Amino acid sequence: KTFTQAIDRTVNNLIGLVGDKPIDTYSRQDANLLRDHLTDRALNSATVKKHLNSLRTIVNFANRECGLKDINSFAGMHFGDDEPYEDSRRQPIPLPIIRSVQMECHEHNDEARWLIALISDTGMRLSEAAGLIEDDLGLDNEYPHIALKAHPWRRLKTRGSERIVPLAGEALWAARQAQKTGQSQFLFPRYCNESACKSNSASAALNKWLSPRVSDGCVIHSFRHSIRDRLRAVECPQDIMDKLGGWAVGGVGESYGNGYPVEVLFKWMSRGV
């Protein structure tokens, strides 16, 4: 839904400015008008580029599928001098702050705090955690874990996102607390049901609570950056880090076999948290 809304917004900006034309009749002048219009709205250059690149992708798709001539109106556009470099990468949350947040999660001991604690010691994406159901849990296993997979109400970001997520530290506590409620099949029914996973509203609510407790610029997604650093600190092999976090892995060899057994993944996650 979020992706569709962003693309519709981009296309509507173009149509509203220069009209709804046959796709192969949009000119470089039309593209430049849109670029200047977006820039005049004080959007930063990265956002403007994203809008124009989306249109270029749409046009290229139409070229291929409809056998049109090459349309270069949105290709190789000039965006002026780059803005001064600013490191806008999401910053990890320092470990002492993570421990403090986790202590408060225990004190509140409610659905929102279980979700935060689960993410804090797994590095799961918010939508991945919020969309879990009881059947995804393997808490009675010798190595407690989540069998993360796609559901009709919540897709996964990539194919590699489907994975085993070991539960150690406060993540195991949070999963057990969520399971004990038994209100429905959903672990976090406030944020997910059969119709949709409400990750945007969950993000707003959780970040509002987190904001005064974490460093400037840190949000719920920062736990995902933190878990990567915590695994690096215990010298976890990179391919295992990638498996634990659902990050892209490279090499033909990754497609061979069944991957790491749960006990190996659990060992490294336990060391990291």
Side-chain angles (χ1 to χ4, degrees):
K1 180 180 177 180
T2 302
F3 171 80
T4 303
Q5 287 175 337
I7 297 302
D8 286 345
R9 191 179 306 117
T10 296
V11 172
N12 289 336
N13 279 332
L14 176 67
I15 292 174
L17 191 65
V18 299
D20 188 1
K21 309 178 184 180
I23 197 167
D24 58 350
T25 63
Y26 284 104
S27 66
R28 176 51 66 97
Q29 182 181 10
D30 294 333
N32 287 340
L33 280 172
L34 179 59
R35 176 202 61 197
D36 296 342
H37 171 72
L38 296 173
T39 302
D40 290 343
R41 287 170 47 189
L43 299 180
N44 63 42
S45 60
T47 301
V48 176
K49 288 178 183 178
K50 182 182 292 186
H51 279 275
L52 274 299
N53 286 339
S54 295
L55 290 170
R56 185 188 65 197
T57 302
I58 292 169
V59 168
N60 288 343
F61 180 81
N63 282 347
R64 293 192 304 271
E65 296 301 306
C66 300
L68 304 176
K69 64 180 181 180
D70 288 339
I71 309 168
N72 298 313
S73 306
F74 299 95
M77 296 193 64
H78 177 65
F79 294 95
D81 296 331
D82 288 337
E83 296 173 351
Y85 173 76
E86 292 183 7
D87 190 352
S88 59
R89 293 176 299 176
R90 190 74 69 197
Q91 295 301 309
I93 302 172
L95 186 57
I97 296 180
I98 292 176
R99 298 301 184 212
S100 176
V101 167
Q102 290 172 338
M103 286 180 60
E104 288 201 58
C105 288
H106 273 268
E107 293 170 4
H108 287 270
N109 196 23
D110 60 10
E111 185 176 337
R113 260 50 64 170
W114 301 334
L115 185 52
I116 290 173
L118 178 63
I119 292 170
S120 72
D121 272 351
T122 60
M124 295 173 69
R125 299 176 179 93
L126 176 55
S127 62
E128 292 175 343
L132 291 171
I133 58 174
E134 190 170 352
D135 287 348
D136 296 330
L137 299 181
L139 298 186
D140 296 330
N141 191 282
E142 181 181 358
Y143 305 99
H145 63 276
I146 292 168
L148 184 62
K149 54 184 176 291
H151 290 298
W153 52 84
R154 188 262 288 126
R155 298 169 58 187
L156 296 179
K157 185 174 182 180
T158 65
R159 181 173 297 178
S161 298
E162 185 169 310
R163 64 193 188 277
I164 296 297
V165 181
L167 291 171
E170 298 309 318
L172 180 56
W173 167 80
R176 284 175 172 158
Q177 293 299 103
Q179 185 188 49
K180 282 196 305 186
T181 61
Q183 297 177 8
S184 73
Q185 65 171 329
F186 295 95
L187 293 187
F188 306 102
R190 181 188 302 180
Y191 305 117
C192 192
N193 54 42
E194 289 87 350
S195 300
C197 180
K198 299 171 253 186
S199 55
N200 286 341
S201 57
S203 177
L206 300 185
N207 282 324
K208 182 178 180 180
W209 184 84
L210 269 180
S211 180
R213 294 167 171 83
V214 295
S215 310
D216 288 345
C218 289
V219 294
I220 191 74
H221 192 72
S222 299
F223 287 119
R224 187 163 168 79
H225 292 254
S226 298
I227 201 71
R228 186 85 185 191
D229 278 349
R230 294 163 72 186
L231 290 169
R232 288 185 181 113
V234 296
E235 299 180 340
C236 178
Q238 181 173 332
D239 57 339
I240 293 181
M241 281 195 285
D242 291 338
K243 287 292 185 184
L244 290 171
W247 287 290
V249 294
V252 175
E254 291 297 330
S255 62
Y256 283 65
N258 293 321
Y260 288 102
V262 63
E263 57 265 30
V264 173
L265 299 174
F266 185 87
K267 175 184 75 172
W268 285 106
M269 185 67 89
S270 299
R271 290 180 181 179
V273 303

